[in-house]
Amino acid sequence: MNRYDRQERVRQIGPAGQAKISQATILIVGLGALGSYAASQLVRAGVKRLILVDPDVVTVSNLQRQALYTTFDAAKKRFKVLAAKEHLQTINPTVAVTAIPAPLTTDVIQKQSFDLCLDCLDNYTARDLLNRLAIAQHFDYLFASCAGTYGNVMAVSPHKHPCLNCLFPNLDQLKQADCDVIGINTALIPVIAGLQVSLALHYLVDRASIDFSRLYTIDNWALTWNRFKIKKRSDCPTCHTPTDRLLTKLEQEQPELKMLCGEGAFYTTLTAPVDLVSWQNWLKQRSLLAGASPLFIHFQWQGHPVSLFRTGRLIMYQLATPEAANHLLTSIKQVANEVSKGGQP
């Protein structure tokens, strides 16, 4: 009996469907609560490869809802995607896992090849970008979200069917409220992740029978669920923006400093590429370097953890306000000038 024998016995999947699942590459954007559950289920289902994208590190406050991580991960402040990769490969070592410890960007998406994307993000600014990328790059994704006791799931194929902005005409307002922290009933998360993975397996086995105009909602407190028919809007400002302007318009709207919701973390981009070796040497001389790899370095600056990527992406953690983040960023930019000149602060 093989590992997937019971799944192959499911009439809707069968051996042929399992073969399709076993050849699939899935991109998961966001490795928090939903993403970590979905990733675990997908490696157990036997996909060929997972690509994990998330810039954040594990914290103790994550552990009540992000079941894939441990107190060790939190104590070491490990990047979620790197911790997830290690744990997932102990579950199923035959699945290839690519970990990208960086925020969602146009460049990240354009460099990857995948069969389906799972939207496990926690903010609508990033979701807006993903939606626009899906239109521009012609790929499908599965939207899922949780807030309080309510969860939503929808398959999105925005080039021909309703896009995220069709679903949420008030998308700009949702983006403004991105970092309002709403509690989540912990038990809701595996329910919504399970539905998202169910849609993913269905998509891989028989995409033609997926309804890309159906939103599913669940209230796990009242134990009720609903489904709604979503129409592609003729006046949707995203659907009807020319493809070559979709991403340019969004980039022009973005502030220099962005917040990772609920984690006290902010990110931006310095000049790219960054000479990580020079940064490592500068930080080592001052006993500030906490960790390094060919892709990024992790260090302490003015009492705050900071991650700097070779691409120029900078993430600053444990900051209470945007004002504090801007102050720290100004200081780091001064250091960047000194490092680039090989001088002293």
Side-chain angles (χ1 to χ4, degrees), residues 29-32 52-58 77-81 100-104 121-123 259-260 265-267 296 298 307 309 313-317:
V29 185
L31 260 290
L52 312 178
V53 178
D54 192 300
D56 205 7
V57 297
V58 181
K77 295 192 179 300
R78 301 178 70 192
F79 281 101
K80 288 179 181 177
V81 292
I100 303 175
L104 173 67
L121 294 158
D122 64 357
N123 71 89
M259 184 176 184
L260 292 170
F266 295 79
Y267 68 94
F296 66 91
H298 197 58
S307 298
F309 294 80
R313 183 71 65 173
L314 177 78
I315 309 175
M316 304 172 293
Y317 303 92

PDB file of all heavy atoms in Angstrom, residues 29-32 52-58 77-81 100-104 121-123 259-260 265-267 296 298 307 309 313-317:
ATOM      1  N   VAL A  29       1.690  32.223  -0.587  1.00  0.00           N
ATOM      2  CA  VAL A  29       2.115  33.560  -0.196  1.00  0.00           C
ATOM      3  C   VAL A  29       1.534  33.854   1.184  1.00  0.00           C
ATOM      4  O   VAL A  29       0.324  33.975   1.336  1.00  0.00           O
ATOM      5  CB  VAL A  29       1.659  34.615  -1.213  1.00  0.00           C
ATOM      6  CG1 VAL A  29       2.222  35.972  -0.843  1.00  0.00           C
ATOM      7  CG2 VAL A  29       2.073  34.232  -2.622  1.00  0.00           C
ATOM      8  N   GLY A  30       2.400  33.942   2.185  1.00  0.00           N
ATOM      9  CA  GLY A  30       1.977  34.128   3.563  1.00  0.00           C
ATOM     10  C   GLY A  30       2.060  32.815   4.326  1.00  0.00           C
ATOM     11  O   GLY A  30       1.315  31.879   4.034  1.00  0.00           O
ATOM     12  N   LEU A  31       2.991  32.720   5.273  1.00  0.00           N
ATOM     13  CA  LEU A  31       3.182  31.482   6.045  1.00  0.00           C
ATOM     14  C   LEU A  31       2.809  31.682   7.507  1.00  0.00           C
ATOM     15  O   LEU A  31       3.469  31.160   8.404  1.00  0.00           O
ATOM     16  CB  LEU A  31       4.627  30.988   5.915  1.00  0.00           C
ATOM     17  CG  LEU A  31       4.844  29.862   4.908  1.00  0.00           C
ATOM     18  CD1 LEU A  31       4.217  28.557   5.395  1.00  0.00           C
ATOM     19  CD2 LEU A  31       4.315  30.228   3.530  1.00  0.00           C
ATOM     20  N   GLY A  32       1.752  32.470   7.725  1.00  0.00           N
ATOM     21  CA  GLY A  32       1.227  32.633   9.067  1.00  0.00           C
ATOM     22  C   GLY A  32       0.267  31.511   9.396  1.00  0.00           C
ATOM     23  O   GLY A  32       0.525  30.341   9.113  1.00  0.00           O
ATOM     24  N   LEU A  52       7.399  28.816  -0.793  1.00  0.00           N
ATOM     25  CA  LEU A  52       6.882  29.548   0.366  1.00  0.00           C
ATOM     26  C   LEU A  52       7.442  30.966   0.381  1.00  0.00           C
ATOM     27  O   LEU A  52       8.658  31.153   0.330  1.00  0.00           O
ATOM     28  CB  LEU A  52       7.271  28.833   1.664  1.00  0.00           C
ATOM     29  CG  LEU A  52       7.009  27.322   1.717  1.00  0.00           C
ATOM     30  CD1 LEU A  52       7.502  26.750   3.045  1.00  0.00           C
ATOM     31  CD2 LEU A  52       5.537  27.011   1.501  1.00  0.00           C
ATOM     32  N   VAL A  53       6.555  31.969   0.461  1.00  0.00           N
ATOM     33  CA  VAL A  53       6.973  33.368   0.441  1.00  0.00           C
ATOM     34  C   VAL A  53       6.415  34.079   1.669  1.00  0.00           C
ATOM     35  O   VAL A  53       5.192  34.139   1.857  1.00  0.00           O
ATOM     36  CB  VAL A  53       6.478  34.083  -0.834  1.00  0.00           C
ATOM     37  CG1 VAL A  53       6.886  35.554  -0.814  1.00  0.00           C
ATOM     38  CG2 VAL A  53       7.025  33.396  -2.083  1.00  0.00           C
ATOM     39  N   ASP A  54       7.306  34.600   2.509  1.00  0.00           N
ATOM     40  CA  ASP A  54       6.892  35.364   3.694  1.00  0.00           C
ATOM     41  C   ASP A  54       8.145  36.021   4.270  1.00  0.00           C
ATOM     42  O   ASP A  54       9.181  35.370   4.382  1.00  0.00           O
ATOM     43  CB  ASP A  54       6.262  34.445   4.744  1.00  0.00           C
ATOM     44  CG  ASP A  54       5.567  35.222   5.856  1.00  0.00           C
ATOM     45  OD1 ASP A  54       6.247  36.012   6.551  1.00  0.00           O
ATOM     46  OD2 ASP A  54       4.353  35.049   6.057  1.00  0.00           O
ATOM     47  N   PRO A  55       8.072  37.301   4.651  1.00  0.00           N
ATOM     48  CA  PRO A  55       9.262  37.985   5.161  1.00  0.00           C
ATOM     49  C   PRO A  55       9.435  37.912   6.670  1.00  0.00           C
ATOM     50  O   PRO A  55      10.451  38.359   7.197  1.00  0.00           O
ATOM     51  CB  PRO A  55       9.002  39.441   4.753  1.00  0.00           C
ATOM     52  CG  PRO A  55       7.520  39.572   4.901  1.00  0.00           C
ATOM     53  CD  PRO A  55       6.946  38.245   4.463  1.00  0.00           C
ATOM     54  N   ASP A  56       8.466  37.346   7.375  1.00  0.00           N
ATOM     55  CA  ASP A  56       8.401  37.512   8.827  1.00  0.00           C
ATOM     56  C   ASP A  56       9.118  36.393   9.573  1.00  0.00           C
ATOM     57  O   ASP A  56       9.393  35.321   9.029  1.00  0.00           O
ATOM     58  CB  ASP A  56       6.936  37.584   9.268  1.00  0.00           C
ATOM     59  CG  ASP A  56       6.768  38.318  10.576  1.00  0.00           C
ATOM     60  OD1 ASP A  56       7.756  38.884  11.074  1.00  0.00           O
ATOM     61  OD2 ASP A  56       5.642  38.320  11.108  1.00  0.00           O
ATOM     62  N   VAL A  57       9.391  36.652  10.855  1.00  0.00           N
ATOM     63  CA  VAL A  57       9.988  35.666  11.742  1.00  0.00           C
ATOM     64  C   VAL A  57       8.928  35.146  12.709  1.00  0.00           C
ATOM     65  O   VAL A  57       7.896  35.778  12.932  1.00  0.00           O
ATOM     66  CB  VAL A  57      11.173  36.261  12.540  1.00  0.00           C
ATOM     67  CG1 VAL A  57      12.285  36.687  11.611  1.00  0.00           C
ATOM     68  CG2 VAL A  57      10.707  37.429  13.413  1.00  0.00           C
ATOM     69  N   VAL A  58       9.189  33.985  13.299  1.00  0.00           N
ATOM     70  CA  VAL A  58       8.268  33.382  14.267  1.00  0.00           C
ATOM     71  C   VAL A  58       8.396  34.097  15.608  1.00  0.00           C
ATOM     72  O   VAL A  58       9.508  34.356  16.075  1.00  0.00           O
ATOM     73  CB  VAL A  58       8.569  31.880  14.456  1.00  0.00           C
ATOM     74  CG1 VAL A  58       7.583  31.259  15.439  1.00  0.00           C
ATOM     75  CG2 VAL A  58       8.539  31.144  13.121  1.00  0.00           C
ATOM     76  N   LYS A  77      13.995  33.273  16.705  1.00  0.00           N
ATOM     77  CA  LYS A  77      13.477  34.242  15.731  1.00  0.00           C
ATOM     78  C   LYS A  77      13.770  33.784  14.301  1.00  0.00           C
ATOM     79  O   LYS A  77      14.260  34.544  13.451  1.00  0.00           O
ATOM     80  CB  LYS A  77      14.046  35.633  15.995  1.00  0.00           C
ATOM     81  CG  LYS A  77      13.594  36.216  17.336  1.00  0.00           C
ATOM     82  CD  LYS A  77      13.926  37.668  17.457  1.00  0.00           C
ATOM     83  CE  LYS A  77      13.441  38.218  18.787  1.00  0.00           C
ATOM     84  NZ  LYS A  77      11.967  38.097  18.957  1.00  0.00           N
ATOM     85  N   ARG A  78      13.439  32.556  14.044  1.00  0.00           N
ATOM     86  CA  ARG A  78      13.682  31.994  12.721  1.00  0.00           C
ATOM     87  C   ARG A  78      12.668  32.546  11.722  1.00  0.00           C
ATOM     88  O   ARG A  78      11.516  32.817  12.059  1.00  0.00           O
ATOM     89  CB  ARG A  78      13.561  30.471  12.770  1.00  0.00           C
ATOM     90  CG  ARG A  78      14.510  29.800  13.739  1.00  0.00           C
ATOM     91  CD  ARG A  78      14.296  28.297  13.777  1.00  0.00           C
ATOM     92  NE  ARG A  78      14.730  27.662  12.537  1.00  0.00           N
ATOM     93  CZ  ARG A  78      14.448  26.398  12.228  1.00  0.00           C
ATOM     94  NH1 ARG A  78      13.719  25.653  13.052  1.00  0.00           N
ATOM     95  NH2 ARG A  78      14.877  25.884  11.104  1.00  0.00           N
ATOM     96  N   PHE A  79      13.104  32.733  10.492  1.00  0.00           N
ATOM     97  CA  PHE A  79      12.171  33.111   9.453  1.00  0.00           C
ATOM     98  C   PHE A  79      11.121  32.012   9.317  1.00  0.00           C
ATOM     99  O   PHE A  79      11.441  30.818   9.327  1.00  0.00           O
ATOM    100  CB  PHE A  79      12.886  33.310   8.123  1.00  0.00           C
ATOM    101  CG  PHE A  79      13.598  34.631   8.012  1.00  0.00           C
ATOM    102  CD1 PHE A  79      14.964  34.717   8.192  1.00  0.00           C
ATOM    103  CD2 PHE A  79      12.879  35.785   7.749  1.00  0.00           C
ATOM    104  CE1 PHE A  79      15.616  35.940   8.106  1.00  0.00           C
ATOM    105  CE2 PHE A  79      13.524  37.013   7.647  1.00  0.00           C
ATOM    106  CZ  PHE A  79      14.890  37.092   7.839  1.00  0.00           C
ATOM    107  N   LYS A  80       9.872  32.421   9.156  1.00  0.00           N
ATOM    108  CA  LYS A  80       8.789  31.446   9.074  1.00  0.00           C
ATOM    109  C   LYS A  80       8.998  30.457   7.939  1.00  0.00           C
ATOM    110  O   LYS A  80       8.778  29.253   8.105  1.00  0.00           O
ATOM    111  CB  LYS A  80       7.446  32.173   8.912  1.00  0.00           C
ATOM    112  CG  LYS A  80       6.978  32.876  10.165  1.00  0.00           C
ATOM    113  CD  LYS A  80       5.657  33.607   9.953  1.00  0.00           C
ATOM    114  CE  LYS A  80       5.236  34.331  11.230  1.00  0.00           C
ATOM    115  NZ  LYS A  80       3.988  35.103  11.045  1.00  0.00           N
ATOM    116  N   VAL A  81       9.417  30.951   6.784  1.00  0.00           N
ATOM    117  CA  VAL A  81       9.563  30.047   5.641  1.00  0.00           C
ATOM    118  C   VAL A  81      10.674  29.032   5.859  1.00  0.00           C
ATOM    119  O   VAL A  81      10.573  27.884   5.408  1.00  0.00           O
ATOM    120  CB  VAL A  81       9.794  30.834   4.333  1.00  0.00           C
ATOM    121  CG1 VAL A  81       8.556  31.617   3.946  1.00  0.00           C
ATOM    122  CG2 VAL A  81      11.006  31.746   4.434  1.00  0.00           C
ATOM    123  N   ILE A 100      11.419  31.399   0.481  1.00  0.00           N
ATOM    124  CA  ILE A 100      11.802  32.751   0.067  1.00  0.00           C
ATOM    125  C   ILE A 100      11.444  33.707   1.202  1.00  0.00           C
ATOM    126  O   ILE A 100      10.283  34.114   1.329  1.00  0.00           O
ATOM    127  CB  ILE A 100      11.094  33.160  -1.232  1.00  0.00           C
ATOM    128  CG1 ILE A 100      11.398  32.147  -2.348  1.00  0.00           C
ATOM    129  CG2 ILE A 100      11.514  34.563  -1.665  1.00  0.00           C
ATOM    130  CD1 ILE A 100      10.654  32.407  -3.640  1.00  0.00           C
ATOM    131  N   PRO A 101      12.413  34.065   2.056  1.00  0.00           N
ATOM    132  CA  PRO A 101      12.120  34.940   3.199  1.00  0.00           C
ATOM    133  C   PRO A 101      12.077  36.407   2.787  1.00  0.00           C
ATOM    134  O   PRO A 101      12.953  37.213   3.109  1.00  0.00           O
ATOM    135  CB  PRO A 101      13.293  34.648   4.150  1.00  0.00           C
ATOM    136  CG  PRO A 101      14.418  34.298   3.242  1.00  0.00           C
ATOM    137  CD  PRO A 101      13.815  33.607   2.043  1.00  0.00           C
ATOM    138  N   ALA A 102      11.038  36.770   2.059  1.00  0.00           N
ATOM    139  CA  ALA A 102      10.909  38.127   1.519  1.00  0.00           C
ATOM    140  C   ALA A 102       9.436  38.433   1.312  1.00  0.00           C
ATOM    141  O   ALA A 102       8.614  37.527   1.162  1.00  0.00           O
ATOM    142  CB  ALA A 102      11.658  38.240   0.199  1.00  0.00           C
ATOM    143  N   PRO A 103       9.074  39.713   1.285  1.00  0.00           N
ATOM    144  CA  PRO A 103       7.680  40.075   1.006  1.00  0.00           C
ATOM    145  C   PRO A 103       7.306  39.748  -0.439  1.00  0.00           C
ATOM    146  O   PRO A 103       8.165  39.562  -1.300  1.00  0.00           O
ATOM    147  CB  PRO A 103       7.653  41.596   1.240  1.00  0.00           C
ATOM    148  CG  PRO A 103       8.901  41.908   2.002  1.00  0.00           C
ATOM    149  CD  PRO A 103       9.900  40.893   1.580  1.00  0.00           C
ATOM    150  N   LEU A 104       6.007  39.692  -0.694  1.00  0.00           N
ATOM    151  CA  LEU A 104       5.518  39.525  -2.056  1.00  0.00           C
ATOM    152  C   LEU A 104       5.891  40.745  -2.890  1.00  0.00           C
ATOM    153  O   LEU A 104       5.636  41.876  -2.500  1.00  0.00           O
ATOM    154  CB  LEU A 104       3.995  39.369  -2.040  1.00  0.00           C
ATOM    155  CG  LEU A 104       3.314  39.343  -3.408  1.00  0.00           C
ATOM    156  CD1 LEU A 104       3.698  38.091  -4.177  1.00  0.00           C
ATOM    157  CD2 LEU A 104       1.794  39.448  -3.247  1.00  0.00           C
ATOM    158  N   LEU A 121      -2.363  35.559   2.792  1.00  0.00           N
ATOM    159  CA  LEU A 121      -1.866  36.837   3.288  1.00  0.00           C
ATOM    160  C   LEU A 121      -2.752  37.370   4.413  1.00  0.00           C
ATOM    161  O   LEU A 121      -3.877  36.900   4.614  1.00  0.00           O
ATOM    162  CB  LEU A 121      -1.806  37.844   2.141  1.00  0.00           C
ATOM    163  CG  LEU A 121      -0.792  37.504   1.046  1.00  0.00           C
ATOM    164  CD1 LEU A 121      -1.149  38.208  -0.258  1.00  0.00           C
ATOM    165  CD2 LEU A 121       0.609  37.891   1.504  1.00  0.00           C
ATOM    166  N   ASP A 122      -2.240  38.384   5.116  1.00  0.00           N
ATOM    167  CA  ASP A 122      -2.999  38.952   6.234  1.00  0.00           C
ATOM    168  C   ASP A 122      -3.340  40.418   6.016  1.00  0.00           C
ATOM    169  O   ASP A 122      -3.760  41.102   6.937  1.00  0.00           O
ATOM    170  CB  ASP A 122      -2.222  38.788   7.546  1.00  0.00           C
ATOM    171  CG  ASP A 122      -0.910  39.569   7.558  1.00  0.00           C
ATOM    172  OD1 ASP A 122      -0.573  40.191   6.535  1.00  0.00           O
ATOM    173  OD2 ASP A 122      -0.223  39.549   8.595  1.00  0.00           O
ATOM    174  N   ASN A 123      -3.159  40.917   4.784  1.00  0.00           N
ATOM    175  CA  ASN A 123      -3.479  42.321   4.525  1.00  0.00           C
ATOM    176  C   ASN A 123      -3.876  42.509   3.063  1.00  0.00           C
ATOM    177  O   ASN A 123      -3.444  41.766   2.177  1.00  0.00           O
ATOM    178  CB  ASN A 123      -2.301  43.224   4.897  1.00  0.00           C
ATOM    179  CG  ASN A 123      -1.140  43.088   3.942  1.00  0.00           C
ATOM    180  OD1 ASN A 123      -1.056  43.786   2.943  1.00  0.00           O
ATOM    181  ND2 ASN A 123      -0.208  42.175   4.242  1.00  0.00           N
ATOM    182  N   MET A 259       3.941  48.430   6.638  1.00  0.00           N
ATOM    183  CA  MET A 259       3.841  47.687   7.882  1.00  0.00           C
ATOM    184  C   MET A 259       3.397  46.256   7.628  1.00  0.00           C
ATOM    185  O   MET A 259       2.505  46.008   6.809  1.00  0.00           O
ATOM    186  CB  MET A 259       2.843  48.357   8.832  1.00  0.00           C
ATOM    187  CG  MET A 259       2.751  47.692  10.194  1.00  0.00           C
ATOM    188  SD  MET A 259       1.642  48.614  11.316  1.00  0.00           S
ATOM    189  CE  MET A 259       1.861  47.664  12.825  1.00  0.00           C
ATOM    190  N   LEU A 260       4.049  45.316   8.333  1.00  0.00           N
ATOM    191  CA  LEU A 260       3.594  43.932   8.363  1.00  0.00           C
ATOM    192  C   LEU A 260       2.596  43.837   9.509  1.00  0.00           C
ATOM    193  O   LEU A 260       2.953  43.995  10.668  1.00  0.00           O
ATOM    194  CB  LEU A 260       4.770  42.973   8.589  1.00  0.00           C
ATOM    195  CG  LEU A 260       5.765  42.897   7.444  1.00  0.00           C
ATOM    196  CD1 LEU A 260       6.999  42.126   7.863  1.00  0.00           C
ATOM    197  CD2 LEU A 260       5.127  42.236   6.235  1.00  0.00           C
ATOM    198  N   ALA A 265       6.277  45.101  12.727  1.00  0.00           N
ATOM    199  CA  ALA A 265       7.382  45.046  11.763  1.00  0.00           C
ATOM    200  C   ALA A 265       7.078  45.943  10.572  1.00  0.00           C
ATOM    201  O   ALA A 265       5.933  46.043  10.121  1.00  0.00           O
ATOM    202  CB  ALA A 265       7.605  43.611  11.291  1.00  0.00           C
ATOM    203  N   PHE A 266       8.128  46.598  10.056  1.00  0.00           N
ATOM    204  CA  PHE A 266       8.006  47.495   8.914  1.00  0.00           C
ATOM    205  C   PHE A 266       9.071  47.120   7.891  1.00  0.00           C
ATOM    206  O   PHE A 266      10.159  46.659   8.258  1.00  0.00           O
ATOM    207  CB  PHE A 266       8.200  48.952   9.340  1.00  0.00           C
ATOM    208  CG  PHE A 266       7.131  49.470  10.260  1.00  0.00           C
ATOM    209  CD1 PHE A 266       7.135  49.155  11.612  1.00  0.00           C
ATOM    210  CD2 PHE A 266       6.109  50.284   9.763  1.00  0.00           C
ATOM    211  CE1 PHE A 266       6.144  49.627  12.461  1.00  0.00           C
ATOM    212  CE2 PHE A 266       5.122  50.759  10.610  1.00  0.00           C
ATOM    213  CZ  PHE A 266       5.134  50.438  11.959  1.00  0.00           C
ATOM    214  N   TYR A 267       8.752  47.334   6.603  1.00  0.00           N
ATOM    215  CA  TYR A 267       9.752  47.005   5.581  1.00  0.00           C
ATOM    216  C   TYR A 267       9.792  48.063   4.492  1.00  0.00           C
ATOM    217  O   TYR A 267       8.836  48.798   4.255  1.00  0.00           O
ATOM    218  CB  TYR A 267       9.499  45.620   4.992  1.00  0.00           C
ATOM    219  CG  TYR A 267       8.251  45.485   4.154  1.00  0.00           C
ATOM    220  CD1 TYR A 267       8.294  45.636   2.767  1.00  0.00           C
ATOM    221  CD2 TYR A 267       7.028  45.168   4.741  1.00  0.00           C
ATOM    222  CE1 TYR A 267       7.163  45.500   1.997  1.00  0.00           C
ATOM    223  CE2 TYR A 267       5.877  45.023   3.972  1.00  0.00           C
ATOM    224  CZ  TYR A 267       5.950  45.184   2.602  1.00  0.00           C
ATOM    225  OH  TYR A 267       4.818  45.040   1.845  1.00  0.00           O
ATOM    226  N   PHE A 296      20.682  36.957   2.937  1.00  0.00           N
ATOM    227  CA  PHE A 296      20.317  38.016   3.875  1.00  0.00           C
ATOM    228  C   PHE A 296      21.196  37.953   5.118  1.00  0.00           C
ATOM    229  O   PHE A 296      21.888  36.959   5.374  1.00  0.00           O
ATOM    230  CB  PHE A 296      18.846  37.894   4.288  1.00  0.00           C
ATOM    231  CG  PHE A 296      18.543  36.648   5.088  1.00  0.00           C
ATOM    232  CD1 PHE A 296      18.608  36.645   6.469  1.00  0.00           C
ATOM    233  CD2 PHE A 296      18.222  35.457   4.443  1.00  0.00           C
ATOM    234  CE1 PHE A 296      18.338  35.501   7.195  1.00  0.00           C
ATOM    235  CE2 PHE A 296      17.962  34.299   5.160  1.00  0.00           C
ATOM    236  CZ  PHE A 296      18.016  34.323   6.542  1.00  0.00           C
ATOM    237  N   HIS A 298      20.956  39.142   9.478  1.00  0.00           N
ATOM    238  CA  HIS A 298      20.061  39.496  10.578  1.00  0.00           C
ATOM    239  C   HIS A 298      20.914  40.134  11.660  1.00  0.00           C
ATOM    240  O   HIS A 298      21.937  39.576  12.060  1.00  0.00           O
ATOM    241  CB  HIS A 298      19.379  38.229  11.108  1.00  0.00           C
ATOM    242  CG  HIS A 298      18.166  38.495  11.938  1.00  0.00           C
ATOM    243  ND1 HIS A 298      17.077  39.191  11.480  1.00  0.00           N
ATOM    244  CD2 HIS A 298      17.874  38.139  13.224  1.00  0.00           C
ATOM    245  CE1 HIS A 298      16.161  39.256  12.435  1.00  0.00           C
ATOM    246  NE2 HIS A 298      16.614  38.640  13.495  1.00  0.00           N
ATOM    247  N   SER A 307      16.451  42.733   9.486  1.00  0.00           N
ATOM    248  CA  SER A 307      16.883  41.808   8.438  1.00  0.00           C
ATOM    249  C   SER A 307      17.142  42.607   7.162  1.00  0.00           C
ATOM    250  O   SER A 307      16.313  43.430   6.772  1.00  0.00           O
ATOM    251  CB  SER A 307      15.827  40.741   8.171  1.00  0.00           C
ATOM    252  OG  SER A 307      15.602  39.963   9.324  1.00  0.00           O
ATOM    253  N   PHE A 309      18.258  42.066   3.100  1.00  0.00           N
ATOM    254  CA  PHE A 309      18.395  41.091   2.025  1.00  0.00           C
ATOM    255  C   PHE A 309      19.334  41.612   0.940  1.00  0.00           C
ATOM    256  O   PHE A 309      19.507  42.816   0.775  1.00  0.00           O
ATOM    257  CB  PHE A 309      17.024  40.779   1.417  1.00  0.00           C
ATOM    258  CG  PHE A 309      16.089  40.086   2.363  1.00  0.00           C
ATOM    259  CD1 PHE A 309      15.392  40.821   3.314  1.00  0.00           C
ATOM    260  CD2 PHE A 309      15.917  38.714   2.332  1.00  0.00           C
ATOM    261  CE1 PHE A 309      14.528  40.196   4.201  1.00  0.00           C
ATOM    262  CE2 PHE A 309      15.066  38.083   3.208  1.00  0.00           C
ATOM    263  CZ  PHE A 309      14.370  38.825   4.150  1.00  0.00           C
ATOM    264  N   ARG A 313      16.002  44.652   0.189  1.00  0.00           N
ATOM    265  CA  ARG A 313      14.826  44.654   1.072  1.00  0.00           C
ATOM    266  C   ARG A 313      15.270  44.708   2.529  1.00  0.00           C
ATOM    267  O   ARG A 313      16.151  43.962   2.954  1.00  0.00           O
ATOM    268  CB  ARG A 313      14.002  43.405   0.826  1.00  0.00           C
ATOM    269  CG  ARG A 313      12.712  43.319   1.645  1.00  0.00           C
ATOM    270  CD  ARG A 313      11.670  44.306   1.188  1.00  0.00           C
ATOM    271  NE  ARG A 313      11.198  44.040  -0.157  1.00  0.00           N
ATOM    272  CZ  ARG A 313      10.191  44.680  -0.730  1.00  0.00           C
ATOM    273  NH1 ARG A 313       9.565  45.642  -0.073  1.00  0.00           N
ATOM    274  NH2 ARG A 313       9.832  44.400  -1.956  1.00  0.00           N
ATOM    275  N   LEU A 314      14.658  45.616   3.294  1.00  0.00           N
ATOM    276  CA  LEU A 314      15.001  45.825   4.705  1.00  0.00           C
ATOM    277  C   LEU A 314      13.744  45.643   5.542  1.00  0.00           C
ATOM    278  O   LEU A 314      12.702  46.240   5.255  1.00  0.00           O
ATOM    279  CB  LEU A 314      15.555  47.233   4.909  1.00  0.00           C
ATOM    280  CG  LEU A 314      15.896  47.639   6.342  1.00  0.00           C
ATOM    281  CD1 LEU A 314      17.231  47.027   6.762  1.00  0.00           C
ATOM    282  CD2 LEU A 314      15.927  49.153   6.481  1.00  0.00           C
ATOM    283  N   ILE A 315      13.826  44.812   6.586  1.00  0.00           N
ATOM    284  CA  ILE A 315      12.698  44.596   7.495  1.00  0.00           C
ATOM    285  C   ILE A 315      13.156  44.900   8.919  1.00  0.00           C
ATOM    286  O   ILE A 315      14.177  44.387   9.382  1.00  0.00           O
ATOM    287  CB  ILE A 315      12.165  43.157   7.424  1.00  0.00           C
ATOM    288  CG1 ILE A 315      11.881  42.748   5.980  1.00  0.00           C
ATOM    289  CG2 ILE A 315      10.900  43.018   8.270  1.00  0.00           C
ATOM    290  CD1 ILE A 315      11.466  41.304   5.816  1.00  0.00           C
ATOM    291  N   MET A 316      12.378  45.732   9.623  1.00  0.00           N
ATOM    292  CA  MET A 316      12.698  46.133  10.996  1.00  0.00           C
ATOM    293  C   MET A 316      11.573  45.643  11.917  1.00  0.00           C
ATOM    294  O   MET A 316      10.392  45.826  11.612  1.00  0.00           O
ATOM    295  CB  MET A 316      12.827  47.653  11.082  1.00  0.00           C
ATOM    296  CG  MET A 316      13.853  48.228  10.095  1.00  0.00           C
ATOM    297  SD  MET A 316      13.845  50.048  10.045  1.00  0.00           S
ATOM    298  CE  MET A 316      12.222  50.357   9.313  1.00  0.00           C
ATOM    299  N   TYR A 317      11.949  45.048  13.052  1.00  0.00           N
ATOM    300  CA  TYR A 317      10.975  44.396  13.927  1.00  0.00           C
ATOM    301  C   TYR A 317      10.853  45.102  15.282  1.00  0.00           C
ATOM    302  O   TYR A 317      11.710  45.890  15.677  1.00  0.00           O
ATOM    303  CB  TYR A 317      11.378  42.935  14.169  1.00  0.00           C
ATOM    304  CG  TYR A 317      11.521  42.115  12.906  1.00  0.00           C
ATOM    305  CD1 TYR A 317      12.751  41.995  12.262  1.00  0.00           C
ATOM    306  CD2 TYR A 317      10.432  41.452  12.347  1.00  0.00           C
ATOM    307  CE1 TYR A 317      12.895  41.241  11.103  1.00  0.00           C
ATOM    308  CE2 TYR A 317      10.562  40.687  11.195  1.00  0.00           C
ATOM    309  CZ  TYR A 317      11.794  40.591  10.584  1.00  0.00           C
ATOM    310  OH  TYR A 317      11.926  39.838   9.436  1.00  0.00           O
TER     311      TYR A 317
END
